[in-house]
Amino acid sequence: MLDSEPPRTETPVDVARIYAEFVHGLTFEKLPSAVVETTKTLILDQIGVMLLGSAAAGVGELLATVRDWGGKPESSVLVHGAGAVTIAHMMPPAIRDPVVRSPTSPSSCASCTERRGAGAQGGHDLIFAADRRHMQAPCARPRAGSLALPLVLRTPMFEYFPNNYPWSLAVMSALNRGGQISEIDEACRPLKEVAGRKNDPVAQIAWFESWMKLAERVERLGLIDEQANHPLSAGRKLMRAGLYYLLAERMPSHKDPRRMIAYKRGVATYAKGLKLRREPVERVEIPYGEHTLPAFFMKAPVPGRAPCIVHFDGFDVTKEIIYASVGEEYRRRGISLLIVDHPGVGEALRLQNLPSIPETEKPAAAAVDYLETRDDVDKDRIGMVALSLGGYYAPRAAAFEKRFKCCVAWGAIYDFGAAFAARINGTNEPSVPGFAEHAQWVFGKKTLEEAMAVTRQMTLEKVAANITCPLLIVHGENDRQIPLWHAEKTYEAAVNSPGRELKIFSLADGGAEHCGADNNSLIVDYITDWVAEKLGASVAGV
C-alpha cells in the first residue's frame, strides 16, 4: 500500500461471506466435471487468502461448503477448535499433514485399515469432491483439531475417459510406452460417446475396431518406410503399431476370435519392428515341462558375464509391453533382461493354454535354469521383478527360489484373494472390462467360484518370511486397484529380507497410481537404480 493511498474500510470477511454463500448454494449437475473442479479450486484459493487466520463472520457458511469439497494442495482446509478455520496457503506438508489427514485412526479396525489402504491419507494431496467416491469408515472418530470430512483422493492420472478407468489405464499404457498422443487421440475420440458403457460388449468391440484401424494405418506407414529402405523409421512405426494391436486386443472377451487375430498380429508386428530397429533383443524359448515359455532376452552391453533380471508380467500385460517400458533402462545400467510370458499371460496363455498357478517359483525356477545355461549371464547375480499381479508372483518366487539375489514387487499384492473379491464387489477398480471372465481365462477355470478359489491361495501371509534376499516393494498411494495396505503388510511380513525397503510414490510427486500408470518413468528409474545397486551393476551407466 502506498503512503498516499487512503486506508481501506471494507473487510475481507464481507467478501468471504458472499463467496461462501454463493458457493454453498451452487448445483453442479449440468456442468462438466473439469469445469466444476477448476472452479472449486479457484474459489477456495481466493477464500483462503482472505480468511487466512480469521475466524470471523462467514466462516459458518464456508464450513458448510468444505464439508463436501476442498481445494488443491496449496489451499488445504484446516479447522481449529469450534468454528475457527484457516486455509493453509503453501504451508509445509510436515505441518499441514497431521491436521488435514484422515480423521480416522488407520489402525483402529479392519475397515479403517482397508480405508488407509485405499489411500485416504496425506492431507496435502486430498480433494473433497462431492461428485466423487466418499471413503468414510464406519468407526470414524474426529481427531483433535480436525474436522471429520468425507475424504476423497484427488486423482492425478490423466484420464482420457473420466468415467471409464480400464480404458483410461490403457491410454496411459500407450503414452508410457512410446505411443504418439495424436494417434492415440485418433483412436479414442470416436469412443467418447460409448465410454460410459463399461461392461457393454458392444462398447468393447468399438474400442477394438478403433484401435485396430489405428494400428493398421501405422503398420502401413512402417511398411512404406521399409520398402523405401528406411529400416529405423520403419521399425519405430512397427513397434508402435504392434503396441496398438495389443491394446486393441485388451478389451473384448477372450472368446471373441478376432482377439486372437489381433494378438498374433501385434506380436508379429512388434517383433519385426524390433528386428528393423536392431534392438538388442533375442527371442528365446524357456523349457517348462512339456511346454516352453516364450521370452525376450536382452544382453547388457558389457563384456563377459553380466547380472540379469528375470521379469514376469502380471494379470493382463505381455512381454512386449514390459520391454517397451523397461528394456532401455536396464541395458544402460549394464543389466541383462529376461522378460517371460509366464503361465497366465501372453503367448503362454493364448497360444499354449497355460494358466496361472499360485506356485510361481516353478516358472521362475525354469527361467533361472535357462539363464544358467548361458555363458553371458553371471548366475550369482540374478534377480526378479514383476508388476501388478507380479506383486504376488515375484515375492512368492523369491521365497522358494533361493538363486535370486534380489526381488522387486512392482505394485504389491499381499493377499490376492482379498484384492480379487474387492474388485468383484466393486470396491476397487478393475484393470480390464469383464474382469471376472478374464480371471477365469487366466486361471483356466470354468466358473468364477473356481477362479476365486485359486486367488484365495495367492497370499504371502505364510510365505513372505521365507524371503532371504533384498526385497523392494514399490506402491502408489493412490492405487485404485490394490490398496496400500498390501504393500505395508508385505513389508511387515518379510522379516528375514536383509535391507528390505518399502517405497511409496505420493500424489505430490507422481507415480501414485497403479504401478505408476500416471508416471511410469518415475517407477522405472527407482527400480532399475535399486536393482543396479543390489546386483553390482552401474548406476552411473555403461
Side-chain angles (χ1 to χ4, degrees):
M1 181 185 299
L2 298 176
D3 292 339
S4 59
E5 184 178 352
R8 300 188 181 188
T9 57
E10 70 273 15
T11 64
V13 171
D14 294 334
V15 181
R17 177 188 291 275
I18 294 171
Y19 266 120
E21 290 177 344
F22 171 73
V23 174
H24 185 51
L26 283 177
T27 58
F28 308 118
E29 288 82 356
K30 296 182 179 181
L31 293 178
S33 59
V35 173
V36 173
E37 295 196 11
T38 300
T39 303
K40 289 175 180 178
T41 298
L42 291 173
I43 292 174
L44 279 179
D45 282 351
Q46 295 180 59
I47 295 176
V49 173
M50 292 183 292
L51 286 185
L52 191 61
S54 172
V59 169
E61 291 87 346
L62 180 60
L63 283 175
T65 300
V66 300
R67 283 193 177 94
D68 293 321
W69 52 266
K72 61 184 180 180
E74 295 78 4
S75 296
S76 299
V77 177
L78 308 184
V79 178
H80 306 284
V85 63
T86 64
I87 309 288
H89 189 72
M90 297 300 292
M91 184 178 287
I95 299 174
R96 179 175 61 238
D97 281 2
V99 184
V100 189
R101 190 172 296 164
S102 164
T104 304
S105 172
S107 60
S108 57
C109 72
S111 175
C112 288
T113 300
E114 177 69 21
R115 185 164 176 266
R116 181 188 184 191
Q121 58 179 338
H124 62 295
D125 293 315
L126 294 174
I127 182 167
F128 316 92
D131 61 338
R132 291 187 184 270
R133 183 167 50 97
H134 285 182
M135 301 176 185
Q136 188 70 296
C139 62
R141 296 290 184 272
R143 289 181 181 173
S146 66
L147 176 66
L149 303 175
L151 303 185
V152 183
L153 279 175
R154 174 173 58 89
T155 53
M157 184 176 80
F158 167 65
E159 295 183 346
Y160 194 102
F161 303 102
N163 57 350
N164 194 319
Y165 175 84
W167 282 17
S168 292
L169 190 70
V171 169
M172 290 306 299
S173 182
L175 289 172
N176 281 321
R177 289 162 177 84
Q180 293 297 311
I181 191 168
S182 61
E183 294 173 347
I184 294 168
D185 180 62
E186 175 187 333
C188 291
R189 189 178 293 269
L191 302 173
K192 289 183 177 181
E193 292 185 1
V194 299
R197 296 153 60 177
K198 296 181 183 179
N199 288 310
D200 184 346
V202 174
Q204 310 316 323
I205 293 302
W207 169 283
F208 174 84
E209 291 176 347
S210 190
W211 281 81
M212 285 292 288
K213 181 179 178 181
L214 169 65
E216 289 168 351
R217 183 177 70 78
V218 178
E219 180 185 16
R220 176 176 56 80
L221 295 175
L223 295 177
I224 291 172
D225 281 342
E226 183 186 19
Q227 293 172 357
N229 197 28
H230 299 151
L232 296 179
S233 298
R236 183 153 74 147
K237 292 181 180 66
L238 292 178
M239 289 177 66
R240 204 159 68 242
L243 173 66
Y244 296 155
Y245 280 126
L246 294 174
L247 290 173
E249 184 258 359
R250 184 179 175 87
M251 300 303 172
S253 168
H254 71 277
K255 298 176 183 178
D256 189 324
R258 289 173 293 183
R259 181 166 181 170
M260 182 64 75
I261 295 172
Y263 176 76
K264 290 181 177 179
R265 193 163 177 181
V267 169
T269 303
Y270 196 87
K272 185 171 183 178
L274 288 173
K275 182 177 180 181
L276 289 171
R277 292 282 292 178
R278 287 185 281 181
E279 296 279 327
V281 175
E282 174 188 355
R283 179 188 169 91
V284 300
E285 302 286 339
I286 299 169
Y288 182 67
E290 297 178 353
H291 301 273
T292 61
L293 301 179
F296 285 159
F297 179 79
M298 183 190 69
K299 172 67 171 68
V302 296
R305 297 181 181 271
C308 186
I309 277 291
V310 175
H311 209 307
F312 273 20
D313 304 339
F315 183 70
D316 48 37
V317 295
T318 69
K319 62 185 181 300
E320 292 79 12
I321 290 175
I322 297 293
Y323 178 77
S325 177
V326 306
E328 179 70 11
E329 295 308 312
Y330 282 109
R331 187 187 72 82
R332 286 180 177 275
R333 289 163 176 78
I335 303 169
S336 295
L337 183 63
L338 181 70
I339 312 174
V340 184
D341 272 351
H342 52 84
V345 294
E347 292 185 55
L349 175 65
R350 290 162 175 80
L351 304 184
Q352 299 188 53
N353 199 30
L354 285 174
S356 177
I357 58 174
E359 303 82 12
T360 53
E361 65 273 14
K362 294 180 180 179
V368 178
D369 289 343
Y370 166 77
L371 290 175
E372 288 186 337
T373 68
R374 298 187 64 108
D375 58 9
D376 52 4
V377 172
D378 185 343
K379 66 179 182 179
D380 294 322
R381 291 191 290 165
I382 298 174
M384 182 169 188
V385 179
L387 83 167
S388 195
L389 184 51
Y392 166 82
Y393 288 155
R396 164 78 196 209
F400 295 98
E401 177 47 76
K402 297 301 181 180
R403 289 176 290 179
F404 287 125
K405 297 304 186 291
C406 68
C407 175
V408 181
W410 181 353
I413 296 186
Y414 179 77
D415 184 340
F416 189 54
F420 188 86
R423 292 193 196 179
I424 294 297
N425 295 332
T427 305
N428 299 327
E429 293 284 4
S431 56
V432 291
F435 180 79
E437 183 187 81
H438 187 88
Q440 292 169 226
W441 183 35
V442 168
F443 297 113
K445 302 301 180 183
K446 295 181 179 179
T447 68
L448 176 59
E449 290 72 20
E450 290 175 333
M452 293 184 75
V454 176
T455 68
R456 286 192 289 270
Q457 301 176 53
M458 301 173 72
T459 173
L460 299 175
E461 181 180 7
K462 298 180 180 179
V463 171
N466 295 331
I467 301 172
T468 53
C469 66
L471 172 67
L472 171 65
I473 306 151
V474 297
H475 207 86
E477 76 169 347
N478 197 42
D479 190 324
R480 287 177 275 171
Q481 295 186 44
I482 305 296
L484 183 58
W485 67 261
H486 285 266
E488 295 167 334
K489 292 286 287 185
T490 301
Y491 177 83
E492 293 166 3
V495 293
N496 294 310
S497 169
R500 71 189 190 276
E501 180 182 346
L502 171 59
K503 170 62 176 177
I504 300 173
F505 284 83
S506 69
L507 282 154
D509 294 333
E513 291 285 345
H514 183 68
C515 294
D518 55 311
N519 193 330
N520 187 80
S521 64
L522 292 178
I523 313 293
V524 173
D525 288 347
Y526 198 93
I527 290 174
T528 51
D529 283 340
W530 186 89
V531 168
E533 291 172 351
K534 299 305 177 186
L535 295 184
S538 176
V539 176
V542 296

